[in-house]
Amino acid sequence: MEQMSIELIAALIAVAISVISMIIAFVAIVRYKTVYRQYDMFMRGRDAESLEDLILDEKERIDKLEAEDIANKEVMRAMNRNIRASYQKMGIVHYDAFEGMGGKISFAMALLDYTNSGLIINCMHGANGCFLYVKDVEAGATDVQLGTEEKGALERALGYVKD
């Protein structure tokens, strides 16, 4: 009797393992079909386009974008060079060059680039005419002596004096 019950238990375990195996196989088949359908749709592509055509089109698009990127970087470098060379700092001082002869219509103006190089324009206006002087500035300094107004304009352009 005992022998028979061990055989019966072994048979039941074998049946249970078989049923579990069949369930696992069924789930695997269902998942396989789902994955296969997704794979088939992916391989077909849109409008009967093949995967190879899709990859080649994307590579061509990436190549174009890389070429545009290189061109854009060169344009940005040129713009940066132009910006550094342009006058981007300015200081101006208004003053009365000839006291009592027309008010504060005379001025000294400093125009500097990124490297603090540029020029100082001094325009002295009086009853007898207008006198204009230009002085070069290199790295924030000049070789010639500056007047009080010219120094003030240069200091404003350099950011030493705020308006």
Side-chain angles (χ1 to χ4, degrees), residues 116-130:
N116 292 331
S117 297
L119 53 95
I120 298 173
I121 300 171
N122 190 355
C123 180
M124 292 189 284
H125 184 77
N128 295 332
C130 182

Side-chain angles (χ1 to χ4, degrees), residues 63-79:
D63 290 342
K64 286 180 184 176
L65 288 173
E66 286 175 346
E68 283 181 30
D69 181 49
I70 291 169
N72 287 341
K73 285 179 181 175
E74 185 55 41
V75 167
M76 287 171 50
R77 282 187 203 101
M79 288 175 62

Side-chain angles (χ1 to χ4, degrees), residues 36-109:
Y36 182 78
R37 267 187 259 125
Q38 290 174 347
Y39 170 78
D40 190 44
M41 290 294 288
F42 180 71
M43 292 304 285
R44 276 193 228 152
R46 290 186 224 144
D47 302 323
E49 214 176 64
S50 72
L51 180 61
E52 182 180 6
D53 291 340
L54 185 65
I55 291 171
L56 290 174
D57 289 346
E58 285 301 309
K59 180 171 179 353
E60 185 178 317
R61 190 173 76 80
I62 288 170
D63 290 342
K64 286 180 184 176
L65 288 173
E66 286 175 346
E68 283 181 30
D69 181 49
I70 291 169
N72 287 341
K73 285 179 181 175
E74 185 55 41
V75 167
M76 287 171 50
R77 282 187 203 101
M79 288 175 62
N80 192 26
R81 284 190 301 270
N82 290 342
I83 287 171
R84 287 176 177 247
S86 66
Y87 294 130
Q88 47 188 280
K89 302 173 190 175
M90 183 186 83
I92 191 164
V93 174
H94 293 274
Y95 66 98
D96 188 359
F98 306 102
E99 293 186 30
M101 300 287 289
K104 292 187 173 187
I105 57 175
S106 299
F107 66 90
M109 179 170 57

